[in-house]
Each structure stands twice: as structure tokens, then as C-alpha cells.
Amino acid sequence: MFTVDPESRFIWFSEFSFEHNGNYHLIGVLCGLAIYNSTIVDINFPPALYKKLLKKPVTLNDFAKLHPVQANTLRQLLAYNEPDFEETMSLTFSVMRDFFGEVEEIDIVENGREKSVTLENRQEYVKAYVDYYMNKVIEAQY
């Protein structure tokens, strides 16, 4: 149901869960009851989850608390200002996912595999990347 990031030690929704979505609702009810009854439960959710519950947008800073290594890479991408950006990075608006040994390429925007990341649109790429991992991947569970 959940995964633990090895660097941040936060718990987040597993993108490849075989659990029925009703089980996530049950976990939410149990957490709500614990809060209501002033019971301390050691569940290490990131601050981004609470922002999502309040319907606030999740940012790169929130993503960094959950996945610090990936966020650092995205920040380095934003800081790179050389004219050879496109050739050096060789990125498109897609991500690679390992689904039980089978690697698949997923578009994070429409026709993302055909859209190269450039100096001009790298901010858009980072925003789409964060949105994909913090919102789209977990839509069914959330």
C-alpha cells in the first residue's frame, strides 16, 4: 500500500498497489479517529500529504522533503544554464518506470516523448514531473 523513501524515511502511496482502494479509505478513517481521540500514531507521512488534504498545490519544495535525491537532481537541472542544455540533458517530457522488471516510458504531459526539455521549458518540465509523482500516479489511491 505504501512505500518508504530510503533518504527521507517518509511513507508515501505506492504507485503499484494491488490493494483495493477502499483500504486507503480505511487507513484514512483510522488516522482520523486517532487524531480525534488524541492518540499518537507513529505514521511518518510527509507534509505534502497534509497540503493535499487542504487542497493546496504541492511544490518542488514539498517533493524535496519526500524525495530529496530526485529533487536535488531537478534543482541542478534548473540551475544549469549552458547553451548545450538540450544536448547535455537529452530529456523529454516522459519518465521511465520499472513495473516488476518491465521498463515502460510514461508521458508526463500529452505527447511528452516527442517534446524535448529545453532551457526555455525546463521549469514546465519540473512542474510536470512533480505533478506526475505527487498527484497523477496516486490519483486512484488518493
Side-chain angles (χ1 to χ4, degrees):
M1 287 183 76
F2 298 99
T3 59
V4 178
D5 185 275
E7 281 81 29
S8 70
R9 309 296 295 157
F10 280 124
I11 297 170
W12 194 245
F13 302 93
S14 174
E15 61 183 299
F16 304 119
S17 178
F18 295 110
E19 297 291 329
H20 185 271
N21 288 342
N23 291 344
Y24 290 99
H25 178 75
L26 178 62
I27 297 291
V29 168
L30 290 173
C31 289
L33 282 171
I35 292 168
Y36 180 78
N37 291 308
S38 301
T39 303
I40 297 173
V41 180
D42 189 18
I43 301 175
N44 202 14
F45 287 121
L49 177 65
Y50 303 103
K51 283 184 80 172
K52 287 180 68 60
L53 289 172
L54 294 171
K55 303 207 183 311
K56 294 185 177 184
V58 180
T59 64
L60 178 58
N61 290 334
D62 301 314
F63 182 75
K65 290 174 185 162
L66 178 60
H67 299 296
V69 173
Q70 287 176 313
N72 187 42
T73 302
L74 292 173
R75 287 186 174 128
Q76 289 175 355
L77 179 87
L78 292 172
Y80 191 85
N81 289 317
E82 300 300 319
D84 64 344
F85 180 89
E86 204 169 336
E87 295 81 32
T88 302
M89 298 302 172
S90 297
L91 291 171
T92 61
F93 278 74
S94 63
V95 294
M96 304 300 280
R97 292 188 350 188
D98 184 349
F99 185 68
F100 299 105
E102 186 177 320
V103 178
E104 27 178 38
E105 186 175 7
I106 308 293
D107 292 339
I108 58 175
V109 297
E110 190 173 329
N111 298 320
R113 286 172 238 188
E114 286 83 42
K115 186 175 181 180
S116 294
V117 179
T118 64
L119 273 172
E120 293 76 30
N121 68 8
R122 63 190 168 164
Q123 187 70 40
E124 178 188 345
Y125 171 78
V126 169
K127 186 176 179 180
Y129 188 95
V130 169
D131 180 59
Y132 177 76
Y133 279 106
M134 299 299 282
N135 298 313
K136 291 180 183 172
V137 165
I138 62 164
E139 268 177 348
Q141 295 93 325
Y142 188 77

